[in-house]
Amino acid sequence: MAAENATAIVIRAVPFSETSSVVTLFTRECGKLRALAKGAWRPKSAFDAALDLLSTCQVLVFRKHSDSLDVLAEARLENRFRMGTSLAAFHAGMYVAELLDALTADGDPQPELFDAAQKILLELSCFCGPLEQVRARIISFELEVLRIVGHSPTLLRCAECQTRIELTPRTAFAMLDGGTLCPKCRRGKRSVVSVSADALASLRVLAHSATAWQTIVLGDSVFTELRAIMSTYLAYVVGRRLKLAALLLSPSRGAVH
Ligand SMILES: [Zn+2]
């Protein structure tokens, strides 16, 4: 049984017995792991707030080599996810955790993905900005994650023949082929949706610039269209629909006080 130090994001926590918890951690060094946190629910737990959902913490884990759970020996809080005035930002944070869980395998380190996740969680924590920014930020994160895991949708060229795709009122977007299709290649393809020029232009901007989410204006209809595309595309990549994707569509324009 080897002891490992790692930086971890808490992406899931379920009770185990009266006082313990099984936490799913996405760590920078060891990838995703599930560990037993003994006594996590005790009033004076050694883990304190380090195991709150979406927290980043430094952990010491005893790794088991069989199918049994790893054991969490220590967890020291580094950043706690706090809700600001934006309910949408909290929902987005929960969705980030589900996305990380769905896109990663146990014990497969992906430091670039970890860094991207840590960055967005820091931005969403205590977030008090407008709903539009949260909406754009989560789409930019989805595009970034898809790039990191090797499933970037093509947005500028035909996914099949590589012809450049000019912006026209409607463009074919193929879920199975991984992006836009020219009219010639579109024929006979399955799982193809039609994307508006505004939605495709927004996707291109968000995929191209890491900071565009701060200023881009996504109208309600374009946002709804983008959510349908991203959720469906991710469902093809992951193999199932992500449950919390529906939360991103909720009209949580109101602030939380
Ligand atoms: Zn083509």
Side-chain angles (χ1 to χ4, degrees):
M1 196 162 64
E4 306 238 27
N5 283 293
T7 309
I9 297 170
V10 182
I11 57 174
R12 200 166 359 141
V14 291
F16 183 88
S17 78
E18 291 231 329
T19 56
S20 299
S21 179
V22 172
V23 287
T24 305
L25 303 173
F26 181 51
T27 71
R28 194 172 197 282
E29 294 79 1
C30 317
K32 185 169 68 181
L33 56 88
R34 284 178 309 126
L36 180 63
K38 287 182 189 163
W41 300 116
R42 287 204 185 104
K44 288 190 178 171
S45 157
F47 306 117
D48 198 17
L51 298 182
D52 285 357
L53 210 55
L54 307 180
S55 288
T56 305
C57 49
Q58 295 293 329
V59 296
L60 175 66
V61 186
F62 289 107
R63 306 296 310 274
K64 298 277 183 74
H65 293 295
S66 62
D67 283 344
S68 57
L69 286 170
D70 296 334
V71 175
L72 192 63
E74 291 174 25
R76 192 162 41 79
L77 183 68
E78 212 165 69
N79 280 297
R80 187 179 194 181
F81 188 92
R82 290 178 190 278
M83 192 150 127
T85 56
S86 169
L87 182 60
F90 173 67
H91 286 161
M94 300 292 287
Y95 175 71
V96 166
E98 186 185 17
L99 198 53
L100 291 175
D101 200 6
L103 281 169
T104 57
D106 289 354
D108 177 25
Q110 299 202 49
E112 193 183 1
L113 184 57
F114 180 92
D115 293 344
Q118 193 177 28
K119 184 167 188 294
I120 190 174
L121 290 175
L122 279 173
E123 288 164 353
L124 292 173
S125 181
C126 299
F127 187 84
C128 298
L131 174 64
E132 284 70 19
Q133 281 192 346
V134 177
R135 289 175 159 186
R137 182 65 181 96
I138 203 73
I139 293 170
S140 81
F141 178 71
E142 289 172 316
L143 289 166
E144 187 180 12
V145 163
L146 285 166
R147 178 187 60 72
I148 293 169
V149 299
H151 285 284
S152 265
T154 57
L155 301 170
L156 293 168
R157 296 185 176 276
C158 171
E160 187 89 5
C161 73
Q162 304 303 314
T163 306
R164 193 174 167 77
I165 302 277
E166 303 300 337
L167 277 183
T168 51
R170 309 296 307 183
T171 301
F173 185 101
M175 299 296 162
L176 293 172
D177 297 75
T180 47
L181 288 177
C182 74
K184 207 173 71 190
C185 295
R186 190 250 170 276
R187 275 179 234 130
K189 289 279 191 308
R190 291 189 303 121
S191 306
V192 176
V193 296
S194 158
V195 184
S196 72
D198 280 351
L200 181 55
S202 301
L203 277 179
R204 286 177 174 180
V205 169
L206 288 168
H208 180 72
S209 159
T211 54
W213 64 272
Q214 295 169 358
T215 50
I216 195 170
V217 177
L218 302 176
D220 282 349
S221 67
V222 168
F223 175 71
T224 304
E225 189 183 353
L226 290 177
R227 281 279 18 110
I229 295 164
M230 295 309 294
S231 294
T232 308
Y233 186 62
L234 276 158
Y236 274 92
V237 171
V238 171
R240 62 180 165 84
R241 286 223 164 242
L242 295 174
K243 282 188 221 142
L244 298 183
L247 280 182
L248 304 173
L249 268 176
S250 62
S252 44
R253 197 170 281 278
V256 177
H257 295 288

